Amino acid sequence: MLFSIAVIMFSGFLLGWICRKVKFPPLFGMIIAGILLGPHAFGLIDASVLNISAELRKIALIIILIRAGLKLDTADLKKNGRPAVLMCFVPACAEMLGMVLLAPLFLGMSRLDAAVLGAVIGAVSPAVIVPKMIDLIDGGYGTEKGIPQMILAGASVDDVFVIVMFSTFTGLAAGGSVSVMSFVNIPISIILGIGAGILVGMVLYKWFTAVKMRSTVKMIMLLCTAFCLSAFEDGFSGKIPFASLIGVMAVGMTIKQKDGKLAAELSAIYDKLWIPSEILLFVLVGASVEIESAVSAGISAILLILCVLIFRMAGVFICTLGTKLNRRERLFCMLAYMPKATVQAAIGGIPLAMGLACGETVLTVSVIAIMITAPFGAFAIDLTYKKCLTNNKGHL
């Protein structure tokens, strides 16, 4: 296991560095490193690491969301309250609609199978989007209009909605029925997640200010608390609707709201912690990619993904109607809301494991979606943010 982790970190860093030198997103190199090291290529990652890959990716995702919460100002988020809420579900619904309409034409599958596929593909990747938006917030790009804050908040909630839709459609495909409560549980899980996050954030704030301790100890306590929130969701799954990842971000936001200096102190440590976490996350995402499935899909799957992305971009455009965003800023939002990776890697193989007829197709299209949208979306953000967004650093 130790050798595998060393190989993952070294190769991920090296290929990420090479990509950065040639003006490509580093995560592209990390994903390529994972593909090459993974079981579907050279097989240099030990099975013990692959067996806990999902847990390791979740740890990295938790670190990202803590980081995001510590940097996200609720006052900035309120500037785009309505669009931020719409971004949580409208783009995903638009993309799922596009999949239901087009997948039967491109891949010859049923409408229900297309809905299952749409629910997998419809989720954005917080792992890609959140760190990019944090960088924009730090740099002051688009912050006056709350653009990165809006995208960051939407991407964090989007997955909750999409995973509920995925559970519903896979249940139907397996011969089950639609549960009204599964849809009712969406807002309940979000509210409980935010409420728990605020409560935990208040407790941690009181603790950190009352007891003298090093910043690294505070970082560890915050991280352990976030792990407990995630474990609570896993332990009571199906009994209590609870969105732990939203709760994790709410913890950081609460600390920032109560004490900006404390938030900055913790954020500086998490910025450093993110460096190895990012490599681990994206190399393991790459390791989950099945090359044979991607190659066998053909041009039809690629065209399908590109077409449903147009539906997604239209959904983002609808969310920004009635705002003060200009054309360039709306274009940036549409491009920035495309990347897919972590959710597709996590649930793309579930329909196949369930024995659904569409399982192989869903897995294949998921793989291609990761390979196309994760690097391209990151590249689009890097290429356009200076041209489309105003630098408000002087106003911060």
Side-chain angles (χ1 to χ4, degrees):
M1 178 184 285
L2 293 179
F3 177 73
S4 293
I5 293 175
V7 170
I8 287 171
M9 299 303 293
F10 179 76
S11 59
F13 173 80
L14 179 61
L15 290 185
W17 177 79
I18 292 172
C19 284
R20 185 180 287 110
K21 286 296 182 180
V22 297
K23 307 301 181 183
F24 260 68
L27 71 85
F28 181 76
M30 296 171 195
I31 291 176
I32 295 298
I35 293 173
L36 295 175
L37 296 175
H40 308 291
F42 294 110
L44 296 178
I45 300 178
D46 190 80
S48 59
V49 176
L50 294 175
N51 289 338
I52 60 171
S53 174
E55 287 77 12
L56 292 174
R57 294 200 304 266
K58 192 164 190 178
I59 290 172
L61 190 58
I62 287 172
I63 290 171
I64 298 171
L65 293 176
I66 293 176
R67 224 179 131 220
L70 291 170
K71 292 177 182 287
L72 189 58
D73 196 322
T74 53
D76 291 334
L77 189 57
K78 289 177 183 177
K79 295 177 183 178
N80 280 302
R82 180 186 62 83
V85 172
L86 293 177
M87 292 279 275
C88 297
F89 64 91
V90 171
C93 286
E95 190 166 9
M96 284 187 275
L97 174 62
M99 191 66 77
V100 170
L101 294 175
L102 299 178
L105 300 176
F106 281 91
L107 302 178
M109 60 198 317
S110 69
R111 298 288 183 191
L112 181 55
D113 288 345
V116 173
L117 177 59
V120 175
I121 302 301
V124 296
S125 175
V128 178
I129 293 177
V130 172
K132 291 290 182 184
M133 294 306 108
I134 290 174
D135 289 343
L136 295 186
I137 292 172
D138 288 342
Y141 285 93
T143 52
E144 188 173 359
K145 293 185 178 180
I147 294 171
Q149 296 93 325
M150 174 184 70
I151 295 173
L152 190 156
S156 303
V157 181
D158 170 278
D159 293 353
V160 177
F161 172 74
V162 170
I163 289 173
V164 170
M165 297 301 294
F166 171 74
S167 300
T168 301
F169 290 139
T170 51
L172 284 174
S177 58
V178 177
S179 171
V180 176
M181 281 305 298
S182 64
F183 293 99
V184 174
N185 285 341
I186 295 175
I188 294 176
S189 67
I190 293 171
I191 292 170
L192 288 180
I194 294 173
I198 292 173
L199 178 61
V200 170
M202 290 290 293
V203 171
L204 287 176
Y205 162 71
K206 294 289 186 181
W207 187 14
F208 292 162
T209 52
V211 180
K212 187 176 181 180
M213 62 182 78
R214 294 183 179 182
S215 298
T216 50
V217 176
K218 296 176 185 176
M219 179 273 292
I220 293 171
M221 293 298 101
L222 176 54
L223 189 60
C224 290
T225 304
F227 288 167
C228 289
L229 289 175
S230 180
F232 179 85
E233 180 183 18
D234 294 339
F236 291 90
S237 177
K239 299 177 182 178
I240 301 176
F242 182 71
S244 64
L245 295 182
I246 298 172
V248 168
M249 194 163 72
V251 173
M253 291 174 65
T254 302
I255 292 174
K256 180 174 177 58
Q257 185 75 13
K258 299 298 293 183
D259 190 336
K261 185 177 179 180
L262 173 61
E265 173 189 321
L266 291 169
S267 180
I269 300 176
Y270 276 99
D271 286 346
K272 297 176 182 177
L273 188 60
W274 169 240
I275 295 172
S277 302
E278 179 184 31
I279 296 173
L280 191 65
L281 172 61
F282 289 113
V283 172
L284 290 176
V285 166
S288 69
V289 170
E290 295 190 17
I291 301 174
E292 292 182 3
S293 297
V295 172
S296 65
I299 194 69
S300 296
I302 296 174
L303 290 175
L304 175 62
I305 291 169
L306 295 177
C307 288
V308 297
L309 281 176
I310 295 174
F311 278 79
R312 181 173 197 86
M313 294 173 74
V316 175
F317 180 80
I318 291 171
C319 294
T320 60
L321 290 176
T323 66
K324 296 181 181 180
L325 305 188
N326 59 39
R327 290 181 180 178
R328 289 188 176 185
E329 291 165 338
R330 288 177 180 172
L331 174 62
F332 174 81
C333 291
M334 290 188 283
L335 294 173
Y337 221 55
M338 288 193 303
K340 306 171 187 303
T342 41
V343 175
Q344 288 71 29
I347 67 176
I350 292 179
L352 182 60
M354 292 174 64
L356 299 182
C358 62
E360 186 65 39
T361 302
V362 171
L363 178 60
T364 299
V365 178
S366 298
V367 168
I368 295 175
I370 293 172
M371 295 178 70
I372 292 176
T373 64
F376 177 76
F379 183 72
I381 293 171
D382 290 343
L383 187 66
T384 61
Y385 77 92
K386 288 184 179 179
K387 299 176 182 178
C388 295
L389 305 180
T390 302
N391 190 328
N392 310 120
K393 195 69 174 179
H395 303 292
L396 297 180

